[in-house]
Amino acid sequence: MGVAEDSEPPLKRVKGPVEESKGLPEDHSTTKSVSCSLGDQMAKPLTSQGDGETIGSQGVIRKAEFIKIITRALYSLGYDKSGALLEEESGIPLHSSVVNLFMGQVANGKWDDSVATLRTIGLSDEIMKSASFLILEQKFLELLKMEKVAAALDTLRNEIVPLHVNLDRVHKLASCIISPSQCIRLGISGQDTEGTKSGSKILEKLQKLLPAAIMIPEKRLEHLVERALDVQREACVFHNTSDSDLSLYSDHQCGKNQIPSPTLQIVEAHKNEVWFVQFSHNGKYLGSSSKDHSAIIWEVKEDGQVLLKHTLCGHQKPVLIVSWSPDDSQILTCGQDEVIRRWDVSSGKCLHVYEKTGVGLISCGWFPDGRGIFAGMTDKSICLWDLDGRDLECWKGQRTLRISDMAITDDGKRIISVCRESAILLLDREAKFDRLIEEVDMITSFSLSKDNKFLLVNLMNQEIHLWSIEGDPKLISEYKGHKRTRFVIRSCFGGLDQSFIASGSEDSQVYIWHRCSGELLLALPGHSGAVNCVSWNPGNLHMLASASDDGTIRIWGLDRFNLKGGEQSNGSNHQCNGRS
């Protein structure tokens, strides 16, 4: 797809060598399974271990803490007998006797006794006062509910106020004496003052307040395991599977086979260079546009097959891009310096043609609510229309370039466009405030992330930059390795949590990087012409499409999805067995 003179024919290209990707070392670790029979030892309590004894290969896990956390997990899971047995056998109690006494008193609503016991635990003055406040507040509310106003007032004056903590809350509690309805405004329901329920709620609050060494936090073991899985997942540059695939039985490590890399299908219906390709939001359709003046809607079947649904004809010039409506029921096609057409996806019927006398259209997109569209014009303005073509807003001046991508955030507040050769405009529609992303070289295209927080910018100098656009724009990462000399090459986010960056390239390959590290993971050969655009299926982590000057669209997937039977051809569709 040319960025120079439109009349100049594309250069013939020789397919370049595959760049070696930087893979992770093979994981040769083994897991040892150890089984043992406790036998009669179950009945013999072990000698209590000191807090200084450690376990684990690195010697950083304190045995007593480890056992206490396991005991806490057993109780949390409802295995009370097993928890009690572990305490007895290990000789390591979950809590000290005084803490057990304190917890029992709180659970049974013995507020005065629990405050007295709390003072013997050995807490800092600040924590002791805050914990006492929680308990005494509950005592006050229960007295008030029993209409023992004098006793409640005495508790407030002589027990709560002297603590000198949370004075704002004290004033609100005092107002409850004058107006009981104030309790409702404080968010205190009747259930908060009901016997064992109140005790349980106070224990939950105390657990967050007291030091973990005194009262082991609920579900501490689960938190540690989840954090360990998070660390493993974050360290895996090829991670592209759902969390349900993670296992506790072995360290997690994805291989390259989780990234779509074999060509599973080659679809051929366009009669010239394919300039643009984009999956629908639900991943059930694929739209493509071509130099042959047409666009095509492809349907993605449940088995992963991509089949032609509609060929959209009517443009008199090459079709630059397509844009899916928020609900994927309609699609826009933008002709080069021509018009925008809106189509019904189900029938393939053209519903409306948008044009402006004397001005060509160069880019388009949808309002987030699907009730209107926006367009970039050759006179460097941006216009917003309703679906019937009536003007809603228009921004004149240096808002777009002749070659220009556009996007709008999901809240509809910001419109993004290339406003100068090396600058992107972030236009705030409500605040009427502009921000600029200033780049180091000419911008050829950009892509907005799904969460609207990041912008992926392709530059003429063969670099791709990742910008954070929350608040003041900030450059986050750079991606290098692909080739770009004369044509518009487009990149995209993709994979689980959009953890990967994919891009076309003029050396006929598709390049894939790890988004956070910037590491080049794969360079995929197969096309025989420049790869102009790529799109990662948002509904299928393992499906990627690429559009090329060779007139084809390649569907990339995983090895386990390979189609059997070798290559089959029906004149417009090729199925591959995983090899390019």
Side-chain angles (χ1 to χ4, degrees), residues 43 100 117 156 215 282 372 409 455 495 503 517 526 534 542 548 574:
N100 279 328
T117 304
L156 184 64
M215 189 179 291
N282 60 19
T409 53
L455 209 61
S503 177
S517 69
V534 292
H542 303 132
S548 172
H574 298 284

Side-chain angles (χ1 to χ4, degrees), residues 247-393:
S247 173
L248 300 182
Y249 294 131
S250 60
D251 290 344
H252 175 74
Q253 184 62 66
C254 291
K256 291 182 183 179
N257 59 357
Q258 289 298 323
I259 309 298
S261 52
T263 298
L264 300 187
Q265 193 177 354
I266 303 171
V267 292
E268 298 178 84
H270 285 293
K271 299 175 182 177
N272 209 320
E273 301 167 2
V274 188
W275 285 0
F276 192 85
V277 66
Q278 186 180 72
F279 282 104
S280 60
H281 301 95
N282 60 19
K284 295 180 180 180
Y285 299 101
L286 178 68
S288 61
S289 65
S290 170
K291 189 178 179 181
D292 66 5
H293 304 182
S294 76
I296 293 178
I297 297 175
W298 308 86
E299 186 170 4
V300 182
K301 297 295 186 179
E302 291 185 3
D303 62 0
Q305 279 283 81
V306 177
L307 301 178
L308 190 150
K309 184 175 180 66
H310 298 296
T311 299
L312 310 179
C313 300
H315 286 283
Q316 303 303 309
K317 293 185 178 182
V319 182
L320 294 176
I321 63 170
V322 302
S323 179
W324 294 94
S325 65
D327 64 0
D328 295 328
S329 66
Q330 299 178 54
I331 190 171
L332 299 177
T333 58
C334 182
Q336 187 176 30
D337 298 350
E338 192 202 12
V339 300
I340 295 172
R341 290 177 176 267
R342 176 165 58 91
W343 310 79
D344 177 71
V345 171
S346 179
S347 66
K349 179 183 177 181
C350 183
L351 302 176
H352 197 88
V353 178
Y354 304 87
E355 56 187 327
K356 201 166 186 178
T357 304
V359 181
L361 282 69
I362 54 175
S363 56
C364 64
W366 290 84
F367 284 6
D369 60 8
R371 297 181 180 179
I373 72 167
F374 58 90
M377 311 290 191
T378 53
D379 66 357
K380 300 181 181 179
S381 64
I382 299 173
C383 285
L384 276 63
W385 292 319
D386 65 15
L387 292 183
D388 294 326
R390 289 185 290 267
D391 288 345
L392 299 177
E393 294 181 70

Side-chain angles (χ1 to χ4, degrees), residues 41 59 61 102 133 142 147 152 157 173 187 190 212 251 254 258 263 290 298 309 313 322 434 452 487-488 495 523 571:
Q41 295 181 19
I61 303 174
F102 169 72
F133 185 93
E142 289 188 4
E147 298 183 353
R157 286 176 174 174
L173 292 176
D251 290 344
C254 291
Q258 289 298 323
T263 298
S290 170
W298 308 86
K309 184 175 180 66
C313 300
V322 302
D434 295 354
N452 299 273
F487 302 94
V488 174

Side-chain angles (χ1 to χ4, degrees), residues 557-574:
L558 303 189
D559 286 333
R560 69 172 181 265
F561 293 141
N562 288 346
L563 303 176
K564 299 179 181 179
E567 292 199 9
Q568 302 172 357
S569 176
N570 58 9
S572 62
N573 184 45
H574 298 284

Side-chain angles (χ1 to χ4, degrees), residues 133-285:
F133 185 93
L134 285 175
I135 297 169
L136 293 171
E137 179 189 43
Q138 192 64 34
K139 175 185 175 182
F140 168 83
L141 293 171
E142 289 188 4
L143 288 171
L144 206 59
K145 184 181 180 183
M146 291 185 290
E147 298 183 353
K148 297 181 179 180
V149 178
L153 183 59
D154 181 68
T155 297
L156 184 64
R157 286 176 174 174
N158 300 319
E159 297 181 82
I160 295 179
V161 172
L163 294 174
H164 299 293
V165 296
N166 209 344
L167 295 181
D168 182 61
R169 183 73 171 180
V170 170
H171 293 152
K172 291 178 180 179
L173 292 176
S175 67
C176 289
I177 296 177
I178 302 172
S179 174
S181 62
Q182 177 67 15
C183 290
I184 298 175
R185 288 194 289 272
L186 289 175
I188 303 169
S189 65
Q191 291 182 342
D192 292 331
T193 55
E194 291 180 8
T196 57
K197 289 185 178 179
S198 64
S200 298
K201 288 183 178 294
I202 295 301
L203 279 175
E204 289 177 9
K205 294 178 181 179
L206 288 169
Q207 194 173 76
K208 298 175 182 177
L209 183 62
L210 300 181
I214 291 176
M215 189 179 291
I216 309 300
E218 182 83 10
K219 298 187 177 180
R220 177 60 180 167
L221 181 60
E222 289 92 329
H223 172 76
L224 290 173
V225 173
E226 286 175 347
R227 183 66 189 121
L229 291 176
D230 286 342
V231 170
Q232 292 183 37
R233 181 172 48 217
E234 290 166 5
C236 178
V237 295
F238 298 109
H239 187 70
N240 195 34
T241 61
S242 65
D243 287 347
S244 62
D245 292 332
L246 299 177
S247 173
L248 300 182
Y249 294 131
S250 60
D251 290 344
H252 175 74
Q253 184 62 66
C254 291
K256 291 182 183 179
N257 59 357
Q258 289 298 323
I259 309 298
S261 52
T263 298
L264 300 187
Q265 193 177 354
I266 303 171
V267 292
E268 298 178 84
H270 285 293
K271 299 175 182 177
N272 209 320
E273 301 167 2
V274 188
W275 285 0
F276 192 85
V277 66
Q278 186 180 72
F279 282 104
S280 60
H281 301 95
N282 60 19
K284 295 180 180 180
Y285 299 101

Side-chain angles (χ1 to χ4, degrees), residues 63-78:
K63 184 175 181 179
E65 291 183 356
F66 189 66
I67 290 175
K68 286 182 179 182
I69 287 174
I70 294 175
T71 304
R72 188 72 181 89
L74 290 172
Y75 284 128
S76 297
L77 292 170

Side-chain angles (χ1 to χ4, degrees), residues 401-462:
L401 284 183
R402 185 172 180 81
I403 298 171
S404 176
D405 282 340
M406 293 184 66
I408 189 168
T409 53
D410 288 342
D411 58 11
K413 294 180 180 180
R414 287 190 295 176
I415 293 179
I416 306 169
S417 69
V418 181
C419 62
R420 296 200 305 269
E421 284 191 347
S422 60
I424 291 177
L425 173 72
L426 306 175
L427 173 64
D428 192 312
R429 295 175 58 199
E430 293 184 350
K432 308 297 182 184
F433 180 75
D434 295 354
R435 280 192 174 91
L436 287 179
I437 291 178
E438 298 279 0
E439 271 292 4
V440 296
D441 206 337
M442 180 177 174
I443 298 165
T444 61
S445 65
F446 71 78
S447 177
L448 179 65
S449 65
K450 185 177 180 180
D451 59 11
N452 299 273
K453 296 180 180 180
F454 299 93
L455 209 61
L456 198 59
V457 182
N458 285 56
L459 302 177
M460 185 169 281
N461 65 359
Q462 303 187 107

